[in-house]
Amino acid sequence: MLRHPGAFNSICARRGRTCDPSLFKRTRRLASVATLSNHEIRLGQPLHGFTLKRQKHVPELQLTAYELQHDRTGAEYLHIDRDDKNNVFSIAFKTNPPDNTGVPHILEHTTLCGSEKYPIRDPFFKMLPRSLSNFMNAFTSSDHTSYPFATTNRQDFSNLLSVYLDATLNPLLKEHDFRQEGWRIGPKNPGQQQETQDSDDTLVFKGVVYNEMKGQMSDASYLYYIRFQDHIFPAINNSGGDPQKMTDLSYGDLKSFHAKNYHPSNAKLFTYGNMPLADHVAQISRRLDRFDSSQADGNIKVPINLSEGPLYLTVKGPTDPLVDKEMQYKTSTSWLMGDTSDMVESFALRIMSSLLLDGYGSPLYRALIESGLGPDWSPNTGYDSGGKVGIFSVGLNGVRKEDVPKVKEAIGASLREIYETGFDDSKIDGLLHQAELALKHKTANFGMGIMQRLQPGWFNGSDPLDMLAWNETINAFKTNCAQEDYLKDLLDKYLLNENCLTFTMEPDENYGASLREEEDARLAKEIAGMTQSFGSEAEARAELINQELKLIDVQSKAPTEDLSCLPSVHVQDVPREFERKPVRDSKVGDVKVQWREASTNGLTYFRAINALEGLPADLRILLPLFTDSLMRLGTKDKAMEQLEDLIKLKTGGIAVSYHSSTSPHDIFKATEGLSLSGYALDSNVLAMYELLSTLIHETNFEGPEAESRVRELLQGTANGALGSIASAGHSYARRHAEAGLTPQGLLNEQIGGLTQVQRTANLASRPSSEGLSDIMAKLRAIQDFAVTNSPGFRAAITCGAESVSLNESALEGFLSTLDRSSKIPALDESRALDTNFGTKTFFSLPYQVYYSALALPTAPYTHISSAPLQILSQLLTHKHLHHEIREKGGAYGGGAYSRGLSGLFGFYSYRDPNPQNTLKVINDAGCWARDKRWTDQDLEEAKLSVFQSVDAPESVSDEGMTRFLSGVDEDMEQRKREQLLDVKKEDVVEVAQKYLVEGMGQARVAVLGEDKELFKDSEGWETRRLQMAEGSGGEPEM
């Protein structure tokens, strides 16, 4: 998986978010040697070939860190001992990319395709259903590659550790794996051994990573960010790979890169959790001791020198059909900051970045977005501390051509004004309060978060122990802030100068066509080179087809190969009884309240739902805009800036959002409503409720200023929509496919699907002269009934036992501020949304790859078929669809899913070059599953896959939420657990026949991608185009 930590990792809040505290923390069992506890290990003490170099106790994080070094190879190893059952491992290597071919990324994929100890095809993916891990993946970052996993099971940890170490240090790196995962030329849809109706011998570029990056480059936000990085950081090439350069990479280049970089001397190892360090060290050392010391890559790359700025650069990019044609420019200005290994200054720069950019009241938001220069931040906006030298950027999307130079001018003027007025101490206090709550908030994935926060700096010269010393950093920052003008001096030092880069992407209507022409020319050149080698084009073509058929033969044998070399945990390791988290019910007035009393570090978590019955579609589709408006418009008495400051000072965040759920007993019954949520210190609960009440009741939807702010929200949302679809196109396809099947499917589509995207784009395109008076009236109408103290209102509170009485009193006070009831207006039939979703819909979008989904209605959560359907989805994914859609088809991802709570079963593909072939595989999947001779091992692995998510660790704030949100109580969960464990082979065959074969006639299909006339009206397809409405904001085509 490609991962650029700095890409969207700035501390500045995105539009519509008040504050996110997480930004501050950017076989047989081995013989136990745990008799030596972590606390008994002494500095300088040898331990299984490692030596303990340093250790540090960090009480505020309730952990102790141990820094070790492997004696033989010099490998660095950081272990974090913490009372947390969710243990984490990672091995990572410095992988500075030598060019733009994506060799680190392709190597990340191919290392996982087989190793010396596990010489089978794709042991990584075959381990997924043989594990109880709650996280398994690999990441290619800009200058390093990491392989992490997390699990609560000790045997599972040992198994995965063995597989990961062998995959990275001793991979087979076979050429056919390079061709499958990287790139190759082959027939688009080969007929294999016999001609078939669907065969297509047209030669094309293929490869999983090749198609992944074509999809990634279709995301205009990513494209802007990566082109910006190309120019400000040319020393770091594109680690993910540019498809235009990827085809220059040879198999020999791949092997050489591995030999150079994947060595223990160039590695950093990380473990976290409550399992003994000595156990880990013993197992790791046995693998590392086989290697001698080698030269580590100590080359830390830095950005270009901007001391002789300003520098201006412009590149071309795609147009966005959902954005005004006159607002297609993206531009930003960037400065280089200090050495990120200075923890205190780097923290101060994060704070300064947040003060400048965070929230609607921030000075740069007002100067750039509120002023109308653009609707949303550019993708690189914020402080990026992922490299050796920090980079601060500010910019906008959706800028008019004539306004591009004005953006830089406005940034400069705003920064100079801030320098004159200084920073508000109360805003700094609010950010520090967020940091305090982030430390108290108990998350289930704390260890993975720590690993991801440490690695970028660790590879760029920062001390990991310093990075963990949270209180030391904050206390030093407070000391510095006590000195006059500390942050102002940093502002002056780094930003009040012209040593900057202004980077602009201008729209090119022919951008997509140029990419296709370039790819065609590159393909022709490659074929011409082969033609010269083989003597004729016919012989070259025959050789390429023959290579493809050989690869298919290898791929076809993989599903039946002997996997006995792979370790596994077993279903017997899964407890038949799940760990219950007791809750109790009470009433505060007429409102039902669920209580979860737990250790929360002095925090209270609040959740409430106000059910809305009879909500018309023309109001429902405006609920996302309504909830965004609550966090934007302010009240008659308080500007949004003042409310944001209070939220940061008094809470860990509050939110109002849409909620819907299907009955666990009937998939054709759904409820919907508005959800309120927030958390705060127990001492601030009253303030949290007061802020929620203020936002709900007092947000001012009157007047031209409110209308202007709503238009600003619409334009910002529309501006980012195309990129959001590109990054999760399969989810949008899935929502649209499900919309015609069940009530909740329709609700989800209207709220968060392509229907919502099109409506937002249409409203955003309305001329100012036409106004939004009708929309403002509807938002006011929603405000009248949004939250009421009625039988439809219910609440859930998670807190310590010591704060229950305080919370009861506070909740009673909050409820007293709510109206008893309010009538929902009737539907305006003349403007009702189209709810007629076709059976096969194609959405034409400017992407280089496709996203597809097929969905079917099945059975409710409590039905006896629900459990075998969940097992079937895992069997299809791991035993059939991954093989057909990803390995053979070249898509980045594909599989089946079973939504137990919504009663839907479906299939999807992601960044798929050949959706027609994928849909054929999907349509035949039911018969394949029915006719398959399933083994006991197949069923065992499918059950393990299901329980990875069922038994995944929960954050304390999530405990009891399944019951509260969906009505599934612990007795239902226990029955489902038993049903899952007891599923038999004949149960799987039965549901495959009933729902996937006999029920296929009810299927709905949606595909997103470039219109190449693959999906024709004559074959039952309806083609739709997402685009801005012409002229005025009429109703969406959908």
Side-chain angles (χ1 to χ4, degrees):
M1 175 185 288
L2 177 65
R3 183 171 183 269
H4 283 281
F8 307 100
N9 200 28
S10 66
I11 200 169
C12 71
R14 288 289 169 207
R15 184 190 51 75
R17 186 178 71 198
T18 301
C19 192
D20 181 354
S22 68
L23 292 171
F24 286 89
K25 48 187 181 179
R26 281 219 126 315
T27 14
R28 60 186 176 89
R29 181 168 299 188
L30 294 171
S32 175
V33 290
T35 52
L36 182 65
S37 74
N38 294 346
H39 302 293
E40 294 172 333
I41 302 171
R42 297 183 301 276
L43 291 179
Q45 178 180 347
L47 183 66
H48 299 288
F50 281 84
T51 298
L52 179 62
K53 297 293 187 181
R54 292 188 299 163
Q55 68 183 63
K56 186 179 187 69
H57 182 56
V58 186
E60 63 270 25
L61 297 179
Q62 300 173 324
L63 62 82
T64 301
Y66 298 86
E67 184 184 65
L68 303 97
Q69 188 170 39
H70 187 239
D71 299 333
R72 187 176 178 89
T73 65
E76 297 178 43
Y77 179 13
L78 180 67
H79 173 72
I80 294 180
D81 178 44
R82 192 168 186 262
D83 186 17
D84 187 343
K85 66 180 181 179
N86 196 21
N87 287 258
V88 176
F89 167 81
S90 169
I91 183 169
F93 304 90
K94 184 76 170 178
T95 50
N96 285 322
D99 48 40
N100 290 317
T101 61
V103 59
H105 190 188
I106 294 173
L107 181 60
E108 174 222 306
H109 281 240
T110 50
T111 55
L112 302 174
C113 289
S115 64
E116 291 179 6
K117 188 175 181 180
Y118 306 107
I120 57 172
R121 290 212 87 230
D122 223 349
F124 175 82
F125 280 99
K126 289 183 172 67
M127 277 299 294
L128 286 171
R130 300 168 75 90
S131 166
L132 286 169
S133 65
N134 54 78
F135 187 92
M136 280 179 65
N137 217 322
F139 297 119
T140 301
S141 298
S142 57
D143 61 358
H144 63 278
T145 307
S146 58
Y147 297 80
F149 68 77
T151 182
T152 61
N153 184 286
R154 182 173 293 193
Q155 183 62 55
D156 197 29
F157 191 99
S158 177
N159 293 347
L160 292 172
L161 182 59
S162 177
V163 171
Y164 269 57
L165 288 175
D166 206 57
T168 53
L169 298 174
N170 305 297
L172 298 178
L173 297 182
K174 294 182 177 179
E175 187 169 7
H176 55 68
D177 292 325
F178 166 70
R179 298 183 68 248
Q180 172 185 289
E181 297 297 315
W183 76 275
R184 66 188 186 279
I185 298 173
K188 181 177 180 180
N189 197 14
Q192 301 186 45
Q193 283 79 11
Q194 55 185 11
E195 290 298 317
T196 68
Q197 185 177 357
D198 297 320
S199 65
D200 183 352
D201 285 345
T202 302
L203 294 177
V204 295
F205 283 121
K206 308 177 82 169
V208 171
V209 176
Y210 186 81
N211 288 314
E212 177 189 353
M213 294 313 299
K214 284 181 71 175
Q216 191 79 63
M217 291 294 195
S218 295
D219 180 344
S221 293
Y222 172 82
L223 181 65
Y224 179 89
Y225 176 79
I226 206 66
R227 293 294 180 244
F228 163 74
Q229 286 289 314
D230 289 344
H231 288 85
I232 200 167
F233 222 137
I236 291 281
N237 291 294
N238 185 349
S239 61
D242 186 331
Q244 296 182 0
K245 302 297 182 183
M246 199 174 289
T247 51
D248 293 336
L249 182 68
S250 71
Y251 172 55
D253 295 335
L254 182 86
K255 295 183 71 174
S256 297
F257 190 79
H258 178 272
K260 177 183 177 183
N261 294 284
Y262 277 50
H263 188 280
S265 299
N266 198 41
K268 297 186 189 299
L269 298 109
F270 174 91
T271 51
Y272 164 93
N274 63 1
M275 295 179 190
L277 168 61
D279 283 4
H280 299 333
V281 169
Q283 187 174 0
I284 292 170
S285 185
R286 283 196 291 272
R287 296 303 182 91
L288 303 194
D289 284 347
R290 305 173 187 178
F291 293 85
D292 293 321
S293 179
S294 179
Q295 182 66 43
D297 184 356
N299 188 359
I300 296 175
K301 307 292 187 178
V302 295
I304 59 174
N305 185 352
L306 292 177
S307 62
E308 297 182 2
L311 181 63
Y312 297 88
L313 293 169
T314 301
V315 300
K316 294 185 182 298
T319 57
D320 187 334
L322 297 177
V323 174
D324 189 323
K325 292 179 180 179
E326 301 301 316
M327 299 172 64
Q328 296 278 345
Y329 283 76
K330 297 177 175 67
T331 187
S332 65
T333 298
S334 304
W335 290 263
L336 302 185
M337 312 298 271
D339 189 328
T340 55
S341 64
D342 183 336
M343 293 295 111
V344 179
E345 183 179 90
S346 191
F347 179 81
L349 292 173
R350 289 171 186 262
I351 293 289
M352 184 175 75
S353 173
S354 192
L355 292 169
L356 295 172
L357 294 159
D358 187 359
Y360 297 114
S362 64
L364 287 174
Y365 184 94
R366 292 198 305 265
L368 299 176
I369 296 178
E370 195 171 286
S371 69
L373 288 174
D376 199 8
W377 300 117
S378 62
N380 59 337
T381 292
Y383 175 55
D384 179 0
S385 60
K388 178 66 173 174
V389 176
I391 301 173
F392 179 77
S393 303
V394 188
L396 294 174
N397 292 338
V399 180
R400 298 177 185 275
K401 181 178 181 179
E402 62 270 23
D403 288 341
V404 169
K406 297 177 184 177
V407 174
K408 181 175 182 294
E409 293 169 7
I411 294 169
S414 182
L415 293 177
R416 289 189 293 273
E417 181 181 347
I418 296 161
Y419 181 77
E420 293 299 323
T421 59
F423 293 100
D424 187 335
D425 288 343
S426 67
K427 294 182 186 295
I428 298 172
D429 291 341
L431 293 173
L432 294 177
H433 179 251
Q434 297 296 303
E436 177 189 357
L437 294 191
L439 292 180
K440 288 180 172 290
H441 180 50
K442 292 185 174 181
T443 63
N445 58 352
F446 184 86
M448 191 62 65
I450 285 284
M451 183 274 294
Q452 292 176 339
R453 188 170 74 88
L454 292 182
Q455 275 188 345
W458 196 8
F459 274 104
N460 282 283
S462 294
D463 187 326
L465 300 191
D466 286 348
M467 286 189 277
L468 288 169
W470 191 247
N471 277 353
E472 292 178 16
T473 298
I474 290 182
N475 290 336
F477 170 75
K478 290 179 178 178
T479 298
N480 289 342
C481 273
Q483 303 170 14
E484 189 175 358
D485 297 337
Y486 172 59
L487 288 178
K488 282 180 60 176
D489 289 344
L490 288 177
L491 179 68
D492 181 42
K493 177 181 178 181
Y494 289 117
L495 301 181
L496 296 185
N497 59 67
E498 286 293 298
N499 300 329
C500 55
L501 165 66
T502 297
F503 183 76
T504 302
M505 181 172 280
E506 63 180 13
D508 179 0
E509 292 185 355
N510 298 316
Y511 187 82
S514 298
L515 288 181
R516 291 189 293 274
E517 291 171 4
E518 186 281 331
E519 185 177 52
D520 290 343
R522 184 161 32 91
L523 178 64
K525 182 179 179 181
E526 291 285 344
I527 294 174
M530 290 196 67
T531 297
Q532 187 173 5
S533 299
F534 282 89
S536 72
E537 183 175 343
E539 289 187 30
R541 176 179 291 272
E543 174 61 21
L544 289 169
I545 293 174
N546 184 53
Q547 288 179 6
E548 186 75 9
L549 295 178
K550 286 181 178 179
L551 177 58
I552 290 173
D553 183 58
V554 172
Q555 293 168 335
S556 299
K557 292 175 181 177
T560 58
E561 66 183 334
D562 180 8
L563 303 182
S564 59
C565 65
L566 280 178
S568 179
V569 291
H570 303 284
V571 170
Q572 67 188 32
D573 297 323
V574 178
R576 193 165 182 85
E577 295 282 334
F578 81 108
E579 182 183 356
R580 293 179 182 248
K581 306 289 176 62
V583 297
R584 63 178 179 86
D585 296 318
S586 74
K587 275 196 169 184
V588 175
D590 294 329
V591 171
K592 295 179 181 178
V593 184
Q594 173 185 291
W595 295 88
R596 167 65 180 149
E597 295 172 30
S599 174
T600 62
N601 277 340
L603 297 175
T604 288
Y605 299 92
F606 169 74
R607 196 75 159 270
I609 292 172
N610 190 49
L612 301 174
E613 294 186 11
L615 184 66
D618 65 337
L619 294 183
R620 176 185 304 115
I621 202 165
L622 291 175
L623 287 178
L625 179 60
F626 172 76
T627 56
D628 281 351
S629 297
L630 295 182
M631 305 303 293
R632 175 65 188 102
L633 301 189
T635 70
K636 290 181 179 179
D637 299 326
K638 286 186 174 68
M640 197 64 226
E641 178 182 5
Q642 295 171 286
L643 292 170
E644 286 175 334
D645 289 346
L646 287 171
I647 290 170
K648 292 172 191 171
L649 280 166
K650 299 297 184 181
T651 80
I654 58 177
V656 182
S657 59
Y658 177 80
H659 168 78
S660 68
S661 65
T662 296
S663 165
H665 309 289
D666 184 349
I667 67 172
F668 298 107
K669 290 183 179 179
T671 59
E672 64 178 328
L674 282 177
S675 170
L676 314 180
S677 60
Y679 77 99
L681 292 170
D682 293 340
S683 58
N684 286 331
V685 167
L686 285 170
M688 176 180 71
Y689 285 134
E690 183 178 342
L691 284 164
L692 278 167
S693 181
T694 298
L695 290 173
I696 295 163
H697 296 122
E698 299 180 31
T699 292
N700 183 15
F701 288 95
E702 301 284 353
E705 183 175 338
E707 183 172 322
S708 174
R709 299 290 174 262
V710 168
R711 182 181 296 277
E712 179 187 299
L713 289 171
L714 288 165
Q715 291 177 341
T717 302
N719 191 277
L722 198 66
S724 297
I725 299 171
S727 63
H730 61 306
S731 297
Y732 283 90
R734 189 162 58 194
R735 285 191 202 102
H736 194 270
E738 293 173 355
L741 298 176
T742 64
Q744 191 185 3
L746 176 60
L747 300 179
N748 289 340
E749 168 64 17
Q750 290 180 346
I751 289 293
L754 296 171
T755 301
Q756 176 70 214
V757 170
Q758 182 64 76
R759 170 60 67 95
T760 301
N762 284 350
L763 292 177
S765 70
R766 275 197 190 180
S768 298
S769 58
E770 185 173 333
L772 294 170
S773 59
D774 58 325
I775 302 302
M776 302 305 294
K778 290 179 179 180
L779 294 176
R780 290 193 293 273
I782 293 171
Q783 187 179 29
D784 287 340
F785 63 76
V787 179
T788 58
N789 186 351
S790 65
F793 189 91
R794 66 186 192 272
I797 293 177
T798 300
C799 64
E802 70 282 357
S803 62
V804 169
S805 60
L806 178 148
N807 272 286
E808 286 178 332
S809 175
L811 179 60
E812 187 175 5
F814 171 66
L815 294 174
S816 69
T817 69
L818 305 181
D819 294 333
R820 297 297 297 178
S821 64
S822 183
K823 186 178 179 181
I824 297 177
L827 170 68
D828 178 359
E829 296 290 346
S830 65
R831 296 176 66 84
L833 287 176
D834 178 16
T835 57
N836 181 26
F837 293 88
T839 57
K840 297 196 294 186
T841 309
F842 173 73
F843 290 89
S844 177
L845 288 163
Y847 302 145
Q848 300 178 59
V849 286
Y850 295 84
Y851 307 85
S852 62
L854 180 149
L856 297 149
T858 54
Y861 181 87
T862 55
H863 195 277
I864 193 67
S865 295
S866 181
L869 282 165
Q870 282 186 263
I871 300 300
L872 175 60
S873 70
Q874 296 301 314
L875 288 168
L876 282 168
T877 296
H878 294 292
K879 300 298 180 182
H880 183 52
L881 299 174
H882 173 82
H883 173 67
E884 293 293 331
I885 297 174
R886 179 181 167 114
E887 291 184 352
K888 293 171 69 174
Y892 181 50
Y897 63 92
S898 178
R899 295 185 182 275
L901 286 173
S902 59
L904 293 167
F905 193 99
F907 305 84
Y908 67 93
S909 71
Y910 179 69
R911 293 180 179 168
D912 187 351
N914 195 349
Q916 289 174 305
N917 182 67
T918 294
L919 291 177
K920 183 178 186 304
V921 169
I922 288 172
N923 277 288
D924 294 341
C927 292
W928 183 90
R930 177 198 62 193
D931 299 338
K932 172 75 173 175
R933 291 180 176 271
W934 298 109
T935 66
D936 292 338
Q937 181 64 30
D938 292 334
L939 228 59
E940 171 109 345
E941 292 179 6
K943 292 176 182 179
L944 288 173
S945 297
V946 169
F947 278 95
Q948 288 172 3
S949 57
V950 170
D951 285 350
E954 276 188 313
S955 299
V956 67
S957 56
D958 293 329
E959 293 173 356
M961 283 300 104
T962 298
R963 177 182 188 264
F964 178 72
L965 296 174
S966 66
V968 174
D969 61 29
E970 289 189 325
D971 290 337
M972 290 182 192
E973 287 190 85
Q974 180 59 39
R975 283 194 295 273
K976 173 59 73 65
R977 185 181 192 88
E978 294 168 5
Q979 290 168 353
L980 287 167
L981 290 169
D982 294 341
V983 168
K984 298 179 176 58
K985 288 175 277 189
E986 52 266 32
D987 299 331
V988 171
V989 172
E990 180 181 335
V991 295
Q993 171 65 25
K994 179 177 180 179
Y995 296 105
L996 272 59
V997 179
E998 297 171 11
M1000 188 56 75
Q1002 300 180 70
R1004 303 296 178 100
V1005 186
V1007 179
L1008 284 59
E1010 186 178 15
D1011 190 358
K1012 292 186 177 179
E1013 298 186 356
L1014 299 177
F1015 302 95
K1016 302 175 182 177
D1017 295 347
S1018 60
E1019 297 173 354
W1021 286 90
E1022 177 187 1
T1023 297
R1024 298 187 178 187
R1025 299 181 187 279
L1026 292 181
Q1027 56 191 10
M1028 295 192 74
E1030 295 294 333
S1032 67
E1035 292 306 299
E1037 177 185 333
M1038 307 166 63

